[in-house]
Amino acid sequence: MASRRDGPEVRLRAMEEAVERIGTSSDEAAIWRELTGFLLRGPCGAAAVELTGGSPGGRSQPAGRVAAAGDTAGLLDAPGGAAAAAHVLAVPLTGRGEVYGRLLAARAGCALSADEAATVHFAARLACAHVGHARRLVATEKIPLDLQRALVAEPGRPHPNLEVASRYLPLGSRALVGGDWFETVRLHFGRTLLVVGDVMGHGLEAAVDMNAYRSVLREVASTDLAPHRVLRQLDALSAADDDRRPATCLIVRVDPARGTAAYASAGHLPPAVFTADRPGDLLDVPVGPPLGTGFGGYEAVALPFTADRTILLYTDGLVERRGEDIDTSLARLAALRMTAGCSVRDVVDAVCAGLDAEHAEDDVAVLAARLRIRPPLEGATG
């Protein structure tokens, strides 16, 4: 587009350059910037993209000017003077029956030639085609993310004697979802089962398998088996399904009446316990193979669980960092301190902030629980 002469060869070279320079990214904002930048390198002294807004595909889009290049102040925006003398070409931005907005292409002095105007129109159509694809891609990627958010939005309701808080943080707004999940299940005699799991892999298949593990867990837990026997049943049932992905899982059965918690792990990272004004403790829980392998061999360990302690279950995205030894990652978690009087939700907030979970390299699921202390009845004597 270095030459402004008309002719089929010049137009063809301009179109070839447009194809190379516009649509190199699947990000809509970048595509509009590539469009205005391409026109500025060619026949235009200024170019701008103005969108009408709206919510195509359920996703809100910005309105107003979203990309600009060149002397827009002098050729497009200034009242009178240069703006009045500029030659402005307005091109509708549309795709598949949807109106995105308009493209303004301007030049001072002589108007755009027929071939130059044709190049502007071609570049606009090309950008619209890429934007349409980008918006459809966003809508497609949103399906598994919405599915997982719906599945792990809230765990089940524990007994009133237990205070519970949870957090689920997907890896970015457009990343493929993983199989992280958590659950609480009410058992007899005031006991509650706390569970966190992580299906291997990402994408819609991982989210579907995660839901399958969660559903089977509820069914098996209703039989009131010990935690290690729950894992044994989950492993056997999952191994019988050839299409089921392996998963790690950690189960804790909290018994407030006895002041104990029984732990069992299927290849999962150790739970942490926090008490006020001291570093956390990583519990030594026997670790069996991941679920779905069919190997079994799970064990349980019962440890004291008093009202001053908060149990924290989590998936590996909370602590693991690329290139870092896992012991270093876990030590960072254990070094966190909780202030006196903080709630269970405060503990979850402090852990996520202290480990910068918002910028983790994988999905993050966190489940925390503490015994709820009920005030004595009014007038009661001890």
Side-chain angles (χ1 to χ4, degrees):
M1 289 187 65
S3 172
R4 292 180 180 171
R5 295 177 301 158
D6 288 345
E9 291 185 2
V10 174
R11 184 186 299 185
L12 179 60
R13 285 198 298 271
M15 290 180 176
E16 289 175 345
E17 185 178 352
V19 171
E20 291 178 358
R21 294 184 177 273
I22 299 174
T24 64
S25 168
S26 60
D27 178 72
E28 178 176 338
I31 296 171
W32 295 132
R33 290 195 297 268
E34 289 171 348
L35 170 61
T36 56
F38 166 76
L39 295 177
L40 182 64
R41 284 188 293 271
C44 301
V49 171
E50 298 177 348
L51 300 186
T52 57
S55 301
R59 182 172 181 263
S60 178
Q61 299 296 328
R65 187 167 293 179
V66 296
D71 185 18
T72 56
L75 298 178
L76 294 177
D77 301 330
H87 295 272
V88 180
L89 177 62
V91 180
L93 298 173
T94 62
R96 294 199 173 191
E98 183 179 351
V99 178
Y100 302 139
R102 66 174 183 169
L103 166 69
L104 299 177
R107 185 169 73 194
C110 62
L112 297 175
S113 69
D115 276 3
E116 288 170 336
T119 298
V120 173
H121 280 274
F122 174 79
R125 289 196 301 272
L126 179 63
C128 288
H130 285 296
V131 166
H133 175 73
R135 291 188 178 185
R136 290 190 297 275
L137 180 62
V138 168
T140 300
E141 292 176 342
K142 190 171 178 287
I143 293 174
L145 185 58
D146 286 345
L147 171 62
Q148 189 179 33
R149 279 175 171 162
L151 292 173
V152 301
E154 290 293 340
R157 297 179 60 188
H159 281 286
N161 56 23
L162 208 61
E163 182 185 358
V164 171
S166 60
R167 182 75 53 82
Y168 168 65
L169 298 172
L171 175 62
S173 60
R174 296 185 60 185
L176 289 175
V177 299
D180 296 33
W181 59 282
F182 42 68
E183 182 62 280
T184 66
V185 181
R186 285 193 184 199
L187 303 175
H188 297 298
F189 310 114
R191 297 170 301 164
T192 297
L193 206 65
L194 308 174
V195 189
V196 65
D198 187 1
V199 178
M200 297 181 183
H202 292 82
L204 183 59
E205 294 82 2
V208 170
D209 282 347
M210 175 265 291
N211 187 43
Y213 275 110
R214 195 176 184 184
S215 298
V216 173
L217 167 78
R218 291 170 180 159
E219 182 178 350
V220 174
S222 65
T223 61
D224 211 1
L225 296 172
H228 64 292
R229 296 187 64 188
V230 172
L231 289 179
R232 189 184 305 166
Q233 290 287 333
L234 284 174
D235 178 54
L237 292 171
S238 302
D241 185 347
D242 294 335
D243 296 327
R244 185 77 54 82
R245 298 184 181 199
T248 65
C249 185
L250 177 64
I251 294 181
V252 183
R253 187 174 69 184
V254 178
D255 190 341
R258 290 185 169 86
T260 62
Y263 302 80
S265 174
H268 207 83
L269 292 175
V273 171
F274 291 96
T275 55
D277 298 324
R278 57 170 293 179
D281 292 318
L282 297 176
L283 302 184
D284 187 11
V285 177
V287 180
L291 300 176
T293 61
F295 295 139
Y298 305 105
E299 300 178 35
V301 59
L303 301 172
F305 183 43
T306 52
D308 62 334
R309 299 184 178 187
T310 300
I311 297 175
L312 185 84
L313 315 183
Y314 53 92
T315 54
D316 54 10
L318 177 69
V319 295
E320 287 187 350
R321 299 295 179 264
R322 189 176 294 109
E324 181 179 77
D325 186 81
I326 188 59
D327 290 336
T328 302
S329 304
L330 291 173
R332 186 185 301 112
L333 169 62
L336 297 176
R337 289 174 176 262
M338 303 300 147
T339 59
C342 66
S343 67
V344 175
R345 186 167 298 279
D346 292 336
V347 171
V348 172
D349 290 342
V351 168
C352 289
L355 300 182
D356 195 19
E358 292 284 352
H359 301 96
E361 298 167 1
D362 199 355
D363 294 352
V364 174
V366 180
L367 178 65
R370 180 194 300 163
L371 295 180
R372 192 188 299 274
I373 302 177
R374 296 191 175 188
L377 295 176
E378 186 176 349
T381 60

